[in-house]
Amino acid sequence: MVIEILSYKASILNPLFKCLIVILYAIGTWFFYCAWKKYGGNLKVIAGALMCGGIAACIGAGARLFGDYFVQFKWMESTGAIIFALVSLFVAWLVYRKFSEIAVAFGLKEGGE
């Protein structure tokens, strides 16, 4: 016996949570876009990469929502997730390579070393 609110197919929570995920990714992507416009240098590069990852996450999460209703969107869910993972890996590599410059930018380390 399954409680109706916890049923994947019958509960209103399933589409609501999926909509919430898309909205949260969109808000995060908006903040990365604002940072991309505001800052230059390494921070602009990193914000741009994070913004691309946010767009991929939005597409993947949207495809997950619509995949419940239209089967042809199911493949986009995995594609969006793969792109998001690849962009996240790229951003991690960027941050690792530029860490000393970022530390100077944030005042965590003296410049010029």
Side-chain angles (χ1 to χ4, degrees), residues 44-101:
K44 184 175 187 98
V45 172
I46 292 169
L50 287 168
M51 185 176 56
C52 291
I55 292 168
C58 287
I59 292 169
R64 182 178 163 124
L65 172 65
F66 290 120
D68 287 347
Y69 306 105
F70 306 103
V71 177
Q72 66 267 28
F73 285 109
K74 275 298 195 187
W75 67 270
M76 286 176 54
E77 176 184 347
S78 298
T79 304
I82 289 169
I83 293 169
F84 178 66
L86 289 172
V87 171
S88 296
L89 183 63
F90 176 69
V91 170
W93 176 78
L94 272 177
V95 170
Y96 174 75
R97 297 245 322 147
K98 304 290 186 177
F99 218 83
S100 63
E101 294 174 41

Side-chain angles (χ1 to χ4, degrees), residues 21-39 47-58:
I21 290 168
V22 173
I23 291 167
L24 292 174
Y25 276 135
I27 292 169
T29 303
W30 172 255
F31 283 124
F32 292 138
Y33 171 74
C34 292
W36 177 79
K37 283 183 65 177
K38 185 175 184 177
Y39 300 107
L50 287 168
M51 185 176 56
C52 291
I55 292 168
C58 287

